[in-house]
Amino acid sequence: MDKQDYYETLDVSRSAEAGDIKSAYRKLAMKYHPDRNAGDKGAEQKFKEVSEAYEVLSDGEKRAAYDRFGHAAFDGNGGGPAGGGDSGFNFGGGFADIFDEMFGDFAGARNRGTSQQDTRGSDLRYNMEIGLEEAFSGKQATIRVPSAATCDSCAGSGAAKGSSPVTCPTCQGRGRVRAQQGFFTIERTCAACQGQGQVIENPCAACRGIGRVQKEKTLSVTIPAGVEDGTRIRLSGEGEAGLRGAPAGDLYIFLSIAAHLYFQRDGANIYLQVPIPMTKASLGGSIEVPTVDGGRARVKIPEGAQSGHQFRLRGKGMSVMRSPSRGDMYIRATVETPLKLSKRQKELLKEFENESSPGKTSPESEGFHSKVRDACDGLTGSKSD
């Protein structure tokens, strides 16, 4: 029976780009793969056909020969340039690559060996909360981290003293085993040694052959000045120990900054809201405020200060990581209305009210009410018309 045209097999046009051919092949290969169609001879044959078509059309030289001579380019009958030396399809080049991408342990996996990276210890995460003052100045902290550490009795080998791991008889030390499955030779991780290539005949009693034991580690951590919420600190090699001497993972410390009683932080700047007595806001003066470094600073209040007025103290903010500079501190004034006035205080305020000119002593209030009156008068006038 004549072979079907390779382009028809993959359901692509003869002018299809390489990416289109690859995409069509992936779709058909997934559909007809023997593992998904166990016992279906028709699907197995279709899979062979699409694989053969892709092997030719994915190779620039082979595709050019096929476009010129058709199937005769590869049948060895002398009709094309290939003769018999380049006939048939195989698992080389791009074919193996795409199978490795799609099916993992198939084809391309046969060239992968076992490495220490496969048994590297897991990374660990440690959450630490610090205060704003500690974030400002930095600190040296001691933490205790439960982890899997290398077994001291066997030095991580997993074998009892006086013995050592031996070559796995199942995979002969390769860490992988091959099996024929229909059309393919499949290579998988050796189940006997979990890909290590070695097995332990006489396991260590302390770790039961694992090479690791659960242990709490005490570590010293340097918190740099100026850290921000969410800062991550990496301690290389302080994660879980790797299996049987493989490298340890890393420990990642994630910092969070606790909310402060009265400071608010925005990057390197600090904000502090300070209540100011009405008299001081009216007459002016000075107040003393705390700073994030534990000191005190004096702020001059001008006459007639209003709520929301902001004062800036340069260089009194947070430390900046890896820099000698500091941010600024901003004081936000809140004018406080006096409470629980005595009779005499009320009399004095009443005298003040009677003698004051609203347009001068309370310009914002007078201006607002004036605008409201004008707006209302305008509305009333339009209605009367």
Side-chain angles (χ1 to χ4, degrees):
M1 184 177 68
D2 293 337
K3 284 187 177 181
Q4 185 180 23
D5 181 84
Y6 284 153
Y7 291 99
E8 293 179 3
T9 300
L10 295 181
D11 194 22
V12 295
S13 67
R14 302 188 74 84
S15 60
E17 299 289 339
D20 297 330
I21 292 174
K22 181 177 181 179
S23 178
Y25 169 68
R26 285 170 59 94
K27 180 179 179 181
L28 293 171
M30 293 288 283
K31 178 179 180 181
Y32 294 113
H33 191 273
D35 281 358
R36 297 190 173 191
N37 302 274
D40 188 340
K41 295 299 183 181
E44 182 177 344
Q45 179 60 34
K46 187 66 176 177
F47 182 76
K48 291 179 181 179
E49 292 174 0
V50 298
S51 299
E52 181 178 342
Y54 178 74
E55 174 68 8
V56 172
L57 299 185
S58 64
D59 184 290
E61 294 183 2
K62 291 181 180 180
R63 182 179 179 181
Y66 178 75
D67 288 344
R68 185 176 181 184
F69 300 103
H71 293 297
F74 310 104
D75 62 11
N77 293 328
D86 195 28
S87 61
F89 92 98
N90 54 65
F91 287 99
F95 185 84
D97 293 339
I98 195 169
F99 260 69
D100 187 28
E101 177 185 342
M102 290 166 56
F103 303 114
D105 284 340
F106 284 85
R110 66 183 182 277
N111 295 319
R112 295 200 304 265
T114 304
S115 67
Q116 282 192 320
Q117 186 66 27
D118 297 331
T119 52
R120 175 183 179 273
S122 298
D123 294 334
L124 297 178
R125 172 174 179 152
Y126 185 93
N127 296 324
M128 178 188 295
E129 185 180 74
I130 61 175
L132 187 64
E133 290 87 354
E134 293 174 319
F136 167 80
S137 59
K139 64 177 293 187
Q140 197 72 25
T142 299
I143 62 174
R144 300 178 69 86
V145 182
S147 177
T150 299
C151 176
D152 294 330
S153 297
C154 64
S157 70
K161 289 184 178 180
S163 66
S164 59
V166 298
T167 301
C168 174
T170 303
C171 64
Q172 286 76 49
R174 294 182 64 249
R176 305 185 70 83
V177 293
R178 293 182 179 181
Q180 192 72 29
Q181 183 171 328
F183 189 60
F184 298 100
T185 297
I186 302 172
E187 191 175 82
R188 299 187 184 279
T189 300
C190 177
C193 65
Q194 287 78 50
Q196 295 294 314
Q198 294 180 320
V199 293
I200 297 175
E201 295 181 332
N202 186 15
C204 169
C207 65
R208 291 175 293 182
I210 300 174
R212 302 187 300 188
V213 293
Q214 290 299 313
K215 185 183 294 184
E216 190 174 65
K217 295 193 295 185
T218 301
L219 301 171
S220 179
V221 183
T222 300
I223 309 297
V227 293
E228 297 193 32
D229 194 80
T231 296
R232 185 184 72 172
I233 298 174
R234 173 174 171 260
L235 299 184
S236 180
E238 295 296 350
E240 285 193 342
L243 285 173
R244 301 180 189 174
D250 299 329
L251 173 64
Y252 290 91
I253 299 174
F254 286 79
L255 298 176
S256 60
I257 313 299
H260 198 272
L261 182 61
Y262 41 82
F263 288 127
Q264 289 84 43
R265 179 183 184 181
D266 184 7
N269 296 326
I270 289 290
Y271 292 85
L272 175 65
Q273 187 165 299
V274 179
I276 300 175
M278 182 190 72
T279 52
K280 185 158 292 188
S282 300
L283 303 175
S286 64
I287 58 172
E288 196 175 62
V289 297
T291 55
V292 72
D293 57 10
R296 310 285 290 183
R298 186 160 291 278
V299 181
K300 184 178 180 180
I301 307 298
E303 290 185 11
Q306 303 293 316
S307 285
H309 190 102
Q310 190 163 269
F311 308 90
R312 179 184 182 186
L313 301 181
R314 294 181 181 274
K316 290 295 184 180
M318 288 293 294
S319 304
V320 178
M321 278 187 65
R322 304 180 185 89
S323 171
S325 62
R326 288 177 59 177
D328 299 329
M329 181 175 178
Y330 292 88
I331 311 298
R332 290 172 176 164
T334 302
V335 179
E336 185 177 19
T337 302
L339 302 173
K340 298 180 181 179
L341 298 176
S342 67
K343 182 179 179 181
R344 177 57 182 157
Q345 289 171 327
K346 291 180 180 179
E347 290 175 352
L348 291 172
L349 284 177
K350 192 65 177 177
E351 290 179 16
F352 169 78
E353 182 181 30
N354 292 334
E355 295 180 6
S356 65
S357 172
K360 293 182 179 180
T361 56
S362 305
E364 289 190 19
S365 174
E366 180 62 24
F368 171 79
H369 290 294
S370 177
K371 291 178 181 178
V372 171
R373 285 194 298 270
D374 291 344
C376 291
D377 290 343
L379 291 173
T380 302
S382 62
K383 288 180 179 179
S384 63
D385 292 338

